[in-house]
Amino acid sequence: MAERKPVLITPEQLAQQRHFAALVSVMENRPRSYHVVTYGCQMNAHDSEKLSGMLADMGMDEAPTREDADFVIFNTCCVRDNAERRALGNVTWLKEVRKKNPNLIIAVCGCMIQQPGMAERILKQYKFIDLAFGTSNLWKLPELLHRTLNSDRAVVVVEDEDTIAEDLPLRRLRTDAAYITIMYGCDNFCSYCIVPYVRGRERSRDPEAILAEARALYESGVKEIMLLGQNVNSYGKGLENGMNFPELLRQLDAIGIPRIRFMTSHPKDLSDELIAVLGEAKHILPQFHLPVQHGNDEVLRRMNRRYTREQYLDKVRKLRAAVPGIGLTTDIIVGFPGETEEQFEETLSIVEEVGYDSAFTFIYSPRTGTVAAGMEDQIPEDVATDRIKRLIAVQEAGQRKAMARFLGTEEEVLVEGLSRRSDKAVSGHGRHGVSITFPGTEADIGQIVRVRVTEMKNNTLMAERI
Ligand code: SF4
């Protein structure tokens, strides 16, 4: 693999963007309101917070719905085929909205645009789109919007660079919990995954910038931070100061933010040092998302995951020894090309053996440009559908067993909102990552509340206040 150096966006470049933002904010034909539609993972949700921050800086107000906005931006995901189709369907639907609001500006950004050939397709097939840009150009939004407002042709910009931009304006979704991106991109090239092609090579943020962001959040009263990266366990690769993920966690733990989480981890990069830090830390929550993807060694090899079933199970054992009761969650793919019934049954058995608190289960969907998309023996849809149903049944039975360990125990819940079923109850996540509902009011939102778990209902634990 050719080495690619990250491109650090300089303070001068950011100052230039602030200049464009000021220009846009006084243009006669500028949009007065915006709405960001987000697809995909937490990385995208955090990117949308940056888009919102830049748009607010240009003097726009957030509109409650896309129909009310003058500027609608779709922050897309292409990791799964259905997310891509949904995004394009919604963009097309907005064409109708423009009939009522001729000044509506439609923009599309994110992973989908970064795919080879997508920019040309946008130009040809989706002529009503005014602006399209890739993940590496996000920091340039003020300049791109300025160009769009001065042009009667679509502006499409996709650069193949691995950028890191610090100090972008941010409009965070929550005041009690915050995302911090610690690294971008991925070097793993799992054979089914498009991420390395659309998010670029792995690059880590400067630890001092991360620590400064965390300290500022602590001082503002934030109770939980979620560290983000496609593969946080390999944080630090390429940094000259020798910082790695366990050491970064140690230093973040010392700041005092009550709850620290992170996502996503690759099992092959989960080191003994990291497990030891989890065992010692005060504020890192006892939960771990460890995507297994499959239970059979041959399929794991063809997925290019670079661990075996036994190595994965060994890491699970070590995690449980270091952090008793740790909440384990995972991602699983069924119907990978060539998957036999026997191989699939090994996925069922690893799910039974581990006993996950929850699992994201997916039917394999080929992504153009990946190695697996060209593999023979793609699995027929009816076979894959049958397998995922059986997997979900096994996972749900395991989940019920795993969750029973919480009955009668005490938990601390960061309250996220009123319960969907009752306005006399609130819900949030406990320290182990499980959703918990208990009696409460709006005043509890954003607070950490101690509860005792009394009952288990589907995927939720019911509790009483202590
Ligand atoms: S680790 Fe694998 S699945 Fe995860 S983002 Fe990288 S290539 Fe994709």
Side-chain angles (χ1 to χ4, degrees):
M1 193 191 339
E3 201 189 325
R4 286 173 34 139
K5 285 225 174 300
V7 178
L8 298 178
I9 305 306
T10 64
E12 292 72 30
Q13 286 172 300
L14 288 177
Q16 205 181 20
Q17 292 306 314
R18 283 196 293 277
H19 172 67
F20 279 114
L23 290 179
V24 169
S25 71
V26 292
M27 284 175 79
E28 198 47 47
N29 62 342
R30 73 186 191 279
R32 304 304 203 258
S33 58
Y34 74 88
H35 189 82
V36 184
V37 185
T38 309
Y39 298 89
C41 63
Q42 286 95 344
M43 293 285 276
N44 255 19
H46 190 37
D47 280 350
S48 289
E49 293 182 328
K50 294 174 191 165
L51 293 168
S52 296
M54 287 186 273
L55 292 166
D57 249 24
M58 288 183 258
M60 286 179 232
D61 295 321
E62 187 173 13
T65 69
R66 56 191 96 165
E67 290 86 353
D68 300 311
D70 296 330
F71 181 68
V72 179
I73 182 160
F74 289 86
N75 188 10
T76 61
C77 167
C78 64
V79 169
R80 310 213 54 79
D81 184 43
N82 56 2
E84 188 172 316
R85 271 187 280 127
R86 234 166 7 111
L88 286 173
N90 281 326
V91 173
T92 308
W93 171 78
L94 216 55
K95 199 164 88 169
E96 295 304 308
V97 178
R98 182 180 274 151
K99 288 183 185 152
K100 286 189 216 131
N101 178 5
N103 296 326
L104 173 67
I105 296 175
I106 303 174
V108 183
C109 67
C111 301
M112 202 177 86
I113 301 301
Q114 205 81 33
Q115 291 177 92
M118 184 53 95
E120 293 75 23
R121 192 173 144 205
I122 292 277
L123 275 178
K124 272 203 204 114
Q125 263 179 278
Y126 299 90
K127 290 197 166 48
F128 51 90
I129 291 177
D130 304 291
L131 169 61
F133 56 98
T135 47
S136 57
N137 308 110
L138 183 129
W139 62 280
K140 274 190 187 166
L141 177 60
E143 178 183 347
L144 298 177
L145 185 52
H146 183 259
R147 269 171 63 187
T148 307
L149 294 173
N150 282 307
S151 164
D152 48 13
R153 300 185 55 183
V155 172
V156 179
V157 180
V158 185
E159 277 153 359
D160 186 22
E161 282 183 342
D162 298 336
T163 52
I164 300 182
E166 295 292 351
D167 299 326
L168 290 180
L170 256 182
R171 216 163 162 252
R172 294 193 186 270
L173 290 168
R174 289 170 61 177
T175 51
D176 57 333
Y179 295 127
I180 301 182
T181 302
I182 62 165
M183 49 94 67
Y184 302 89
C186 181
D187 285 351
N188 285 320
F189 290 90
C190 299
S191 63
Y192 51 84
C193 183
I194 192 84
V195 165
Y197 304 93
V198 294
R199 290 258 176 195
R201 295 295 78 74
E202 267 179 37
R203 54 220 189 264
S204 297
R205 280 180 70 197
D206 177 0
E208 286 313 318
I210 297 169
L211 291 163
E213 190 174 344
R215 279 186 211 108
L217 287 167
Y218 174 62
E219 271 150 31
S220 74
V222 157
K223 299 191 174 69
E224 179 178 297
I225 56 170
M226 162 84 113
L227 310 175
L228 297 177
Q230 302 294 349
N231 182 13
V232 289
N233 293 180
S234 70
Y235 170 81
K237 205 164 93 180
L239 287 180
E240 276 159 19
N241 49 24
M243 180 66 98
N244 64 8
F245 189 51
E247 183 53 30
L248 180 71
L249 279 180
R250 265 188 211 108
Q251 295 193 22
L252 286 166
D253 190 53
I255 292 175
I257 297 167
R259 295 162 61 119
I260 301 176
R261 306 160 64 197
F262 50 85
M263 170 133 2
T264 291
S265 298
H266 194 301
K268 78 171 167 50
D269 296 315
L270 169 51
S271 64
D272 289 349
E273 185 189 3
L274 174 55
I275 294 173
V277 171
L278 300 181
E280 292 155 10
K282 282 204 188 94
H283 306 290
I284 299 169
L285 296 185
Q287 51 178 270
F288 209 101
H289 185 71
L290 194 62
V292 64
Q293 305 298 8
H294 209 277
N296 171 266
D297 285 346
E298 169 57 17
V299 178
L300 287 171
R301 190 190 61 72
R302 286 188 296 112
M303 286 178 159
N304 195 29
R305 292 290 289 173
R306 285 174 279 172
Y307 53 84
T308 63
R309 175 190 176 102
E310 198 35 55
Q311 285 165 341
Y312 180 92
L313 288 171
D314 187 47
K315 307 238 171 174
V316 167
R317 282 190 284 271
K318 284 180 173 167
L319 277 171
R320 284 188 162 146
V323 188
I326 191 168
L328 288 177
T329 55
T330 199
D331 299 333
I332 305 168
I333 294 174
V334 302
F336 187 75
E339 180 193 62
T340 64
E341 172 61 24
E342 291 70 35
Q343 289 169 338
F344 167 67
E345 283 171 11
E346 287 197 61
T347 291
L348 295 182
S349 68
I350 203 167
V351 167
E352 272 178 331
E353 194 167 340
V354 175
Y356 295 104
D357 284 354
S358 75
F360 297 98
T361 52
F362 305 96
I363 292 179
Y364 165 76
S365 84
R367 307 280 60 217
T368 308
T370 59
V371 173
M375 286 180 182
E376 288 176 359
D377 292 334
Q378 300 282 327
I379 301 297
E381 209 181 310
D382 57 333
V383 175
T385 307
D386 172 65
R387 286 181 187 168
I388 202 162
K389 281 188 194 153
R390 288 158 60 202
L391 173 61
I392 290 170
V394 169
Q395 165 54 24
E396 284 181 352
Q399 188 165 331
R400 278 193 293 278
K401 246 194 240 167
M403 304 263 267
R405 74 187 188 282
F406 293 110
L407 288 173
T409 64
E410 291 183 16
E411 261 283 2
E412 271 176 7
V413 181
L414 175 57
V415 179
E416 287 156 36
L418 288 174
S419 156
R420 270 181 289 159
R421 295 207 180 84
S422 158
D423 59 3
K424 295 193 177 60
V426 289
S427 62
H429 286 87
R431 290 174 55 80
H432 296 80
V434 178
S435 169
I436 302 180
T437 299
F438 59 96
T441 65
E442 264 182 23
D444 294 316
I445 297 172
Q447 304 301 319
I448 294 176
V449 179
R450 279 197 78 75
V451 299
R452 180 173 296 106
V453 177
T454 54
E455 200 188 337
M456 200 163 62
K457 268 193 190 165
N458 304 323
N459 294 338
T460 296
L461 296 174
M462 311 304 286
E464 60 190 15
R465 303 173 82 104
I466 296 176

